[in-house]
Amino acid sequence: MSEFSEWFHNILEEAEIIDTRYPIKGMHVWQPQGFKIRKHALQLLREILDEDHEEVLFPLLIPEDELAKEAIHVKGFEEEVYWVTHGGLTPLNKKLALRPTSETAMYPMFALWVRSHSDLPMRFYQVVNTFRYETKHTRPLIRVREITTFKEAHTIHANSEEAEKQVERAIEIYSNFFDQLGIPYMVTRRPDWDKFPGADYTMAFDTLMPDGKTLQIGTVHNLGQTFARTFDITFETSEGEHEYVYQTCYGLSDRVIASLIGIHGDPSGLSLPPSVAPYQVVIVPVLFKKGAQDVLDFCQELKDKIQKAGLRVHLDDRDLRAGKKYYEWEMRGVPLRLEIGPRDIENEKMVILRRDTLNKETIDYQEETLINDLNNILNEIKENLKNKAWNKFQDNIRPAESLEEAGNILKDKKGIISFQWCGDESCGKAIEEYVKVDILGVGEESLDGKCINCGAPAKNLAFLAKTY
Ligand code: PR8
């Protein structure tokens, strides 16, 4: 197990995020702390999606014949589908799939829903669990067989320009979401051999985990008219003709939480952005025999005040050594800790510890500006976590001029390699074969570069990395 892998498993357990002892491989239990982080992250995403999407909820089971209708799609998923074959003791005459994703559940219904051009565009999303019988090594939150928090959006448009615009819009939405969590990313177009089964093309978000491997944390697919033809989703144009719709879909999973934990964490444990921290502020009273009650009363009042202002705050008045409490809250990643003892109250001061820097500081306790001061510090923490993560990400993207150089960088430093590529599939496969890692995708157009492998004029800047 790599050092990061070990850290990751330990922190999931110690911080009570996920219990991995459930007796089915790749299926885990969200514990209360993890559930809260998940809930807050979901809330942020819902707020963004609700602006112009409608939330729906489709059944978990998909009839075999619907799943099988779109040939390319089913081919891509055939080895990953779990099947329900019996109702009690009775064999079902039609097998039912546990959704690996919901295109084939939703699109037969879309065919009934879409009537006229005036209905379009339509934008839906749902948050559900999906099941994939993953054959690669499973890892909690990263590669699971039950994706517990699959956030999938599906949109329907009257023409291809609108669908393309929606792809851009979805990229904006996810960028905005990851920015709020301080997760750095690059967006590339996946090579054709790695696109979503049934898509015209796939845009993907990749981040970098501390072990130097990239993690695909979100994807946006332009489906063109492929599924519309298969499921006969048509609309009547203003001229009274019937045309197939254009579709997009995009999704995120539990990996969002994995990257949040992995990227911001450090040897002391979790370090959570305030936006998703179960507690944003924890107050630890520093008690001595004399005056203990006064300190507790003061802290209780302080807690009420902070809570009233809408922050998630906890007063830790357990009868434990302060050091033990500090250790625990640091491990759990609470962004801001306030320590308050009798002398502080007397001097109108408080000691604060920022989890992102682990710096302790004494600041003035000013009644009138208290909430403002705390909000400012929380904001600084958010920005600092984000900047640190982005700096590290960018420092780990390295250009390579030759395959040999790419191979050496991957061996010594890992991370992401940028290189010039002609875009040809066989050339791409040869590059992957040589460096033994995958082409993540292609980025901006290349103006005057030469392909790292064949020397022909390069079409794009592309990226290589060892991936999860
Ligand atoms: C779609 N249909 O399904 P996608 N464990 C954790 N996360 C995963 C796993 C897994 N086993 N497999 C995929 N992901 C489209 C879009 C509806 C929504 C995550 O797309 O198959 C990856 O981050 O690309 C992936 O980008 C995302 O789910 C969407 O899955």
Side-chain angles (χ1 to χ4, degrees):
M1 225 195 262
S2 75
E3 202 180 313
F4 169 69
S5 217
E6 202 177 321
W7 176 91
F8 187 65
H9 279 83
N10 288 344
I11 199 66
L12 290 182
E13 187 182 323
E14 198 182 358
E16 295 170 346
I17 307 289
I18 287 269
D19 197 327
T20 56
R21 291 171 299 180
Y22 193 75
I24 301 181
K25 186 172 146 75
M27 301 193 186
H28 308 122
V29 181
W30 282 100
Q31 290 175 279
Q33 290 309 310
F35 194 88
K36 285 187 188 118
I37 299 172
R38 174 184 180 274
K39 180 176 79 176
H40 296 308
L42 213 44
Q43 208 166 325
L44 289 177
L45 183 68
R46 277 208 165 94
E47 263 163 39
I48 309 174
L49 287 176
D50 284 341
E51 277 176 28
D52 55 0
H53 294 65
E54 295 201 276
E55 189 168 359
V56 291
L57 185 56
F58 276 71
L60 162 66
L61 298 177
I62 305 175
E64 182 178 23
D65 48 351
E66 295 293 359
L67 186 76
K69 253 185 201 157
E70 194 354 84
I72 310 172
H73 184 69
V74 72
K75 186 97 198 93
F77 278 104
E78 71 187 348
E79 288 180 27
E80 296 186 10
V81 177
Y82 281 91
W83 290 103
V84 175
T85 58
H86 285 70
L89 298 177
T90 316
L92 299 177
N93 47 25
K94 203 190 268 180
K95 281 200 293 184
L96 302 171
L98 299 190
R99 61 181 160 225
T101 165
S102 303
E103 284 72 11
T104 58
M106 291 182 165
Y107 298 177
M109 300 305 290
F110 287 1
L112 305 174
W113 294 356
V114 180
R115 286 278 151 261
S116 141
H117 63 94
S118 61
D119 299 333
L120 301 177
M122 286 178 167
R123 301 185 189 89
F124 301 105
Y125 79 94
Q126 69 175 5
V127 183
V128 293
N129 55 351
T130 56
F131 294 82
R132 294 183 181 184
Y133 185 75
E134 293 281 355
T135 45
K136 265 173 108 176
H137 185 60
T138 60
R139 287 168 202 276
L141 299 176
I142 291 177
R143 177 166 286 102
V144 287
R145 287 182 170 175
E146 180 187 9
I147 306 176
T148 63
T149 325
F150 198 62
K151 293 144 281 212
E152 53 177 324
H154 296 262
T155 71
I156 315 169
H157 308 271
N159 55 55
S160 69
E161 294 74 40
E162 263 195 39
E164 289 220 6
K165 262 200 225 138
Q166 190 62 37
V167 167
E168 291 306 315
R169 172 81 191 116
I171 291 173
E172 262 174 43
I173 289 176
Y174 286 172
S175 302
N176 177 356
F177 178 57
F178 292 130
D179 287 345
Q180 294 200 43
L181 303 177
I183 299 173
Y185 50 83
M186 65 164 50
V187 185
T188 63
R189 184 173 167 141
R190 284 280 181 262
D192 273 347
W193 62 87
D194 195 22
K195 64 188 185 186
F196 182 67
D200 280 4
Y201 64 89
T202 289
M203 303 297 296
F205 284 76
D206 292 287
T207 193
L208 189 66
M209 296 300 266
D211 56 1
K213 287 199 273 183
T214 59
L215 181 64
Q216 174 185 296
I217 47 172
T219 33
V220 181
H221 314 289
N222 191 332
L223 303 176
Q225 291 181 305
T226 303
F227 288 87
R229 288 177 201 278
T230 306
F231 291 96
D232 201 27
I233 314 173
T234 61
F235 69 101
E236 193 176 325
T237 65
S238 48
E239 285 81 44
E241 284 172 34
H242 287 266
E243 280 183 16
Y244 289 114
V245 298
Y246 292 79
Q247 292 176 279
T248 81
C249 68
Y250 30 103
L252 305 172
S253 77
D254 308 1
R255 285 184 186 176
V256 171
I257 307 294
S259 55
L260 185 75
I261 290 174
I263 287 169
H264 299 312
D266 64 18
S268 307
L270 298 182
S271 180
L272 294 171
S275 55
V276 295
Y279 292 129
Q280 296 161 315
V281 180
V282 64
I283 305 170
V284 179
V286 183
L287 303 175
F288 302 94
K289 273 204 188 96
K290 196 163 152 251
Q293 195 54 47
D294 289 346
V295 173
L296 280 172
D297 290 347
F298 181 90
C299 289
Q300 183 61 48
E301 252 177 59
L302 177 63
K303 184 203 154 182
D304 293 345
K305 203 175 298 160
I306 297 174
Q307 197 160 31
K308 243 205 202 128
L311 292 174
R312 297 190 287 273
V313 56
H314 177 67
L315 168 60
D316 187 355
D317 56 5
R318 288 174 300 172
D319 186 16
L320 284 176
R321 270 192 309 112
K324 194 157 178 351
K325 295 181 184 178
Y326 297 164
Y327 170 86
E328 187 176 320
W329 296 118
E330 279 164 30
M331 182 272 293
R332 288 182 188 276
V334 177
L336 186 57
R337 183 170 84 221
L338 311 181
E339 300 167 16
I340 295 174
R343 294 246 321 265
D344 300 314
I345 298 176
E346 217 175 280
N347 300 333
E348 299 188 343
K349 301 268 180 208
M350 59 184 175
V351 175
I352 62 165
L353 178 120
R354 273 176 61 161
R355 177 62 184 86
D356 61 327
T357 55
L358 288 174
N359 280 342
K360 247 190 205 198
E361 227 188 302
T362 304
I363 64 166
D364 290 333
Y365 174 90
Q366 279 177 313
E367 187 83 37
E368 322 73 65
T369 60
L370 175 74
I371 299 300
N372 213 7
D373 295 345
L374 294 182
N375 273 322
N376 285 341
I377 300 170
L378 288 171
N379 228 357
E380 275 173 34
I381 295 174
K382 174 185 165 190
E383 288 305 311
N384 182 41
L385 283 176
K386 180 172 157 191
N387 292 338
K388 268 203 302 195
W390 270 102
N391 286 341
K392 194 163 171 203
F393 183 73
Q394 268 147 353
D395 286 349
N396 278 289
I397 305 174
R398 301 178 179 87
E401 303 288 335
S402 69
L403 284 179
E404 196 187 356
E405 190 185 358
N408 287 339
I409 298 175
L410 284 167
K411 203 160 73 218
D412 297 343
K413 304 199 170 80
K414 306 214 170 78
I416 301 169
I417 306 281
S418 65
F419 68 100
Q420 303 283 341
W421 184 33
C422 64
D424 179 67
E425 176 159 345
S426 60
C427 197
K429 291 265 167 84
I431 295 170
E432 288 186 340
E433 176 65 29
Y434 182 92
V435 290
K436 301 268 182 300
V437 304
D438 292 337
I439 292 184
L440 275 185
V442 301
E444 65 202 52
E445 254 177 68
S446 184
L447 297 177
D448 53 6
K450 289 209 164 42
C451 177
I452 197 177
N453 185 43
C454 70
K459 276 210 187 104
N460 292 84
L461 197 63
F463 301 92
L464 282 166
K466 192 164 174 142
T467 57
Y468 264 98

